[in-house]
Amino acid sequence: MIPNLPTLKILPIDRMILHEDHDLQRTLPLVEKLRAQGILRNPPIVMTLPDNSGRYMVLDGANRVTSLREMEFPHIVAQVVEASNPNVNLQTWNHVVWGMDTKLLISSLEKVKDIKLIKIDTQKSVDAPKYTPLQIRLPDGSFYILEEAPSDLATHIDPLHQIVNSYKTQASLDRTSQTLVDHFKTVYSDLTALIIFPSFKIKTVLKLAAQNIVLPTGITRFTVSPRALHLNYPLHELSSGKPIEYKEAYLQHWVEARVKNKSVRHYAEQTFLFDE
């Protein structure tokens, strides 16, 4: 018997709420791929919103959800997790920005409303900020922090969007968990900066999502264990007009049949996949 099977459910696609800004340019290629393959390879991961609205926040798989919504699917198969699950964690992605003039980046950041760009003299002691600010680390060793005026949570998010927008269309960016800029000097010949974002709590992101307030794209990373991968669920079972109760029963029977046929594998150890 395979332990701890992920919770898979058929859910109304109109109950899915994104927590990050989504680039619609990524949707069309996936729509074409889904139509060609006829399967949903990996189910999105969603978390129940605690406001009793029956909605779910998408932790991972925003492009899949958006694509199926674009295809006018009534339902989606998703892995459901709860905020209380100790195996669900939220980490922060930082941005490695490259291919943009550093002076142009700093100039753009200085124009962002409601924030103050402060250059830190690393040779002098400074007062600790009241909260963890967004940091800018440049290849020459310069170090900046972005200080905001006191505001409510929702107002705090808008400057983050302005900051990301100041470089995402004028530069290339990669996501990283690293916080030291020196690591990237030999990797990127035209390195611009390392943008280090403050961390968020899961309950904070849930609260924002419930208000339809999204974070900038590419700054949150949810990790979930166990994770359902390579499900390869037939799309025709999701697109049909059959009741959701029928689809849910079919899904559970479908999963049970694969467990019985030993088509489901559980890897307890860390695993690297080379066919993604």
Side-chain angles (χ1 to χ4, degrees):
M1 183 67 184
I2 298 176
N4 302 321
L5 269 181
T7 300
L8 295 170
K9 290 186 177 181
I10 301 294
L11 301 171
I13 203 163
D14 61 3
R15 299 292 180 90
M16 302 294 107
I17 304 296
L18 304 186
H19 78 278
E20 276 193 344
D21 200 8
H22 180 67
D23 184 1
L24 291 177
Q25 292 183 349
R26 297 179 57 205
T27 299
L28 184 57
L30 183 56
V31 166
E32 295 175 348
K33 183 177 181 181
L34 289 168
R35 284 176 174 156
Q37 294 181 339
I39 58 171
L40 183 62
R41 182 169 171 80
N42 297 319
I45 302 177
V46 302
M47 179 177 287
T48 309
L49 286 180
D51 60 358
N52 297 317
S53 64
R55 297 180 298 168
Y56 298 83
M57 182 178 79
V58 179
L59 310 188
D60 180 78
N63 197 25
R64 280 160 276 166
V65 171
T66 306
S67 296
L68 292 181
R69 187 176 285 159
E70 180 71 18
M71 296 165 71
E72 299 184 348
F73 273 47
H75 303 112
I76 191 168
V77 57
Q79 179 178 346
V80 181
V81 297
E82 301 298 331
S84 58
N85 188 331
N87 294 318
V88 177
N89 296 289
L90 173 57
Q91 302 172 6
T92 302
W93 283 122
N94 301 317
H95 288 175
V96 183
V97 182
W98 49 284
M100 180 180 182
D101 184 75
T102 300
K103 292 182 180 179
L104 177 59
L105 173 65
I106 296 301
S107 174
S108 299
L109 292 174
E110 289 175 336
K111 297 175 183 177
V112 175
K113 295 180 181 179
D114 301 320
I115 68 167
K116 183 178 181 182
L117 184 65
I118 302 173
K119 186 173 184 179
I120 302 299
D121 186 342
T122 57
Q123 303 301 316
K124 296 181 180 180
S125 61
V126 295
D127 293 334
K130 295 180 180 180
Y131 58 91
T132 304
L134 185 145
Q135 303 176 31
I136 313 292
R137 295 186 178 270
L138 304 184
D140 65 1
S142 299
F143 174 35
Y144 294 80
I145 62 172
L146 291 169
E147 187 175 81
E148 291 186 57
S151 62
D152 58 37
L153 180 60
T155 307
H156 169 68
I157 302 304
D158 184 61
L160 290 181
H161 282 278
Q162 295 183 58
I163 291 165
V164 174
N165 289 339
S166 71
Y167 58 78
K168 76 175 185 180
T169 59
Q170 301 188 63
S172 299
L173 68 89
D174 290 322
R175 295 178 296 182
T176 180
S177 57
Q178 292 276 352
T179 57
L180 299 177
V181 70
D182 289 348
H183 171 80
F184 301 103
K185 290 181 180 179
T186 57
V187 180
Y188 302 89
S189 59
D190 52 353
L191 178 64
T192 303
L194 176 63
I195 315 294
I196 303 173
F197 291 93
S199 59
F200 290 89
K201 295 180 179 179
I202 292 178
K203 64 179 182 180
T204 300
V205 181
L206 284 169
K207 182 178 179 180
L208 290 169
Q211 302 174 60
N212 294 315
I213 299 172
V214 296
L215 295 170
T217 183
I219 69 171
T220 57
R221 180 194 180 200
F222 284 90
T223 59
V224 175
S225 179
R227 175 79 182 269
L229 295 173
H230 300 187
L231 186 67
N232 297 327
Y233 198 71
L235 289 181
H236 65 81
E237 290 298 333
L238 300 174
S239 63
S240 77
K242 295 175 182 176
I244 192 171
E245 294 80 9
Y246 171 89
K247 293 182 179 181
E248 176 66 24
Y250 182 91
L251 169 66
Q252 300 309 323
H253 175 76
W254 190 88
V255 170
E256 290 170 5
R258 272 144 188 79
V259 172
K260 183 178 180 180
N261 293 334
K262 299 182 179 180
S263 299
V264 180
R265 292 186 180 182
H266 172 242
Y267 295 95
E269 70 278 13
Q270 292 188 16
T271 304
F272 291 87
L273 302 176
F274 288 83
D275 66 341
E276 292 297 295

